[in-house]
Amino acid sequence: QRLKAAVHYTAGCLCREVAEDKKMEFSKQTIAALSEITFRQ
Amino acid sequence: AGFRKETVDRLLRLYFRDRRTRVNGDAQALMAEMLNVFVREAAARAARQAQAEDLEQVDIEHLEKVLPQLLLDF
Amino acid sequence: EKWSLSPEEFEIWDRLYRIKESDGIKTPTLPQVWFETIENLEERSKHEEETAHELSLSKWRIWQNQSFPTFMVDHSDRCYHFTSVMEMIELMRHEQGDCSYQLEIQPHLCLEDVH
């Protein structure tokens, strides 16, 4: 779970960079889903 | 922002059968960069889908729409 | 350890990203991989089933006959193969009776090629 939290945190930071770049917001679910997909990848 | 090599090393070792298997620094750095590219590409494609629908928030369904092709591209 | 979150990072994660009960949302998971031909690799607990929001790879299948825009990573050949097959399926979806693919390809069949 700690490892998943580290992946989730990093995915969130990367998403925030894209969000700033595209002037968009990402919902919490989207970041959580992207984190889970990345973990599985 | 980006994945730390140590985090990636830990992720990889979760699935190694032999606990003595090691991943050298270059492989860790390359794997970390691959995950950075993966997350940025997924986020950018989902954001583009939300923009195409004239929305300002990227929701889970925008990620779902691009997911099959994203997974085939990696 | 270096691989884990520092206390500051943990605080940010807990505040910005962690899914909490109060959020009223379920934790997204990827669909399970089911193989008809070999035993299933992973069993998910009943509890996990209920508390998860399972992402769908087929919910938007009718959108998959077109390639979505890309950014730093172009589509793979596998992906173009996938979208072209989905386009073929979409075209055949409305066919009644004869199969256009069969009508087109059958004349080219040489039986000695297959016996």
Side-chain angles (χ1 to χ4, degrees):
Chain A
Q1 289 307 323
R2 273 177 58 189
L3 193 48
K4 276 206 168 186
V7 170
H8 192 180
Y9 170 83
T10 309
C13 295
L14 287 164
C15 273
R16 278 211 354 238
E17 281 183 359
V18 173
E20 279 152 25
D21 178 45
K22 297 199 177 294
K23 313 270 183 297
M24 305 278 289
E25 276 303 313
F26 282 79
S27 70
K28 265 183 127 174
Q29 294 96 316
T30 306
I31 293 175
L34 187 42
S35 172
E36 180 63 22
I37 293 164
T38 305
F39 189 84
R40 292 278 293 258
Q41 188 74 4
Chain B
F3 285 90
R4 279 199 203 112
K5 291 195 326 181
E6 294 77 6
T7 309
V8 168
D9 180 53
R10 195 85 189 200
L11 268 171
L12 292 172
R13 287 207 264 130
L14 269 184
Y15 294 94
F16 290 160
R17 284 191 189 83
D18 182 343
R19 300 185 60 77
R20 290 161 302 174
T21 305
R22 285 288 172 270
V23 185
N24 81 12
D26 288 350
Q28 289 174 5
L30 192 57
M31 195 66 199
E33 182 55 18
M34 200 288 281
L35 288 179
N36 293 340
V37 169
F38 178 77
V39 172
R40 286 200 180 98
E41 185 69 17
R45 291 186 189 186
R48 172 66 177 273
Q49 184 53 39
Q51 280 170 337
E53 298 175 22
D54 282 334
L55 299 169
E56 303 207 335
Q57 168 152 301
V58 186
D59 283 324
I60 210 159
E61 76 168 43
H62 302 122
L63 185 57
E64 269 184 331
K65 285 168 183 169
V66 302
L67 190 55
Q69 297 182 34
L70 176 84
L71 293 179
L72 284 165
D73 290 340
F74 280 85
Chain C
E1 294 153 271
K2 205 154 179 253
W3 64 269
S4 182
L5 295 182
S6 66
E8 300 75 29
E9 289 171 336
F10 184 90
E11 188 282 324
I12 293 170
W13 169 70
D14 186 60
R15 180 163 39 87
L16 292 182
Y17 306 123
R18 185 183 214 164
I19 304 269
K20 300 184 184 75
E21 292 287 320
S22 55
D23 293 326
I25 52 181
K26 293 184 174 182
T27 307
T29 59
L30 273 172
Q32 273 207 298
V33 181
W34 293 111
F35 285 90
E36 295 307 327
T37 53
I38 55 176
E39 88 286 352
N40 288 310
L41 306 177
E42 55 189 25
E43 292 305 326
R44 199 171 281 168
S45 72
K46 201 82 193 96
H47 170 68
E48 265 180 323
E49 298 263 324
E50 272 125 34
T51 58
H53 167 163
E54 189 166 281
L55 296 173
S56 167
L57 288 171
S58 56
K59 185 171 165 186
W60 307 97
R61 60 183 171 279
I62 56 172
W63 291 43
Q64 302 305 326
N65 61 339
Q66 301 293 326
S67 299
F68 279 88
T70 62
F71 288 83
M72 295 184 289
V73 178
D74 290 339
H75 284 311
S76 62
D77 291 344
R78 279 189 309 175
C79 185
Y80 285 124
H81 174 55
F82 168 66
T83 50
S84 67
V85 169
M86 294 303 276
E87 172 65 1
M88 177 185 168
I89 291 169
E90 184 58 24
L91 295 174
M92 291 199 295
R93 187 187 312 280
H94 308 297
E95 278 184 357
Q96 304 293 333
D98 278 340
C99 167
S100 60
Y101 182 81
Q102 181 179 340
L103 294 176
E104 181 197 329
I105 210 87
Q106 194 124 41
H108 303 285
L109 175 65
C110 301
L111 281 182
E112 62 268 20
D113 292 343
V114 289
H115 289 152

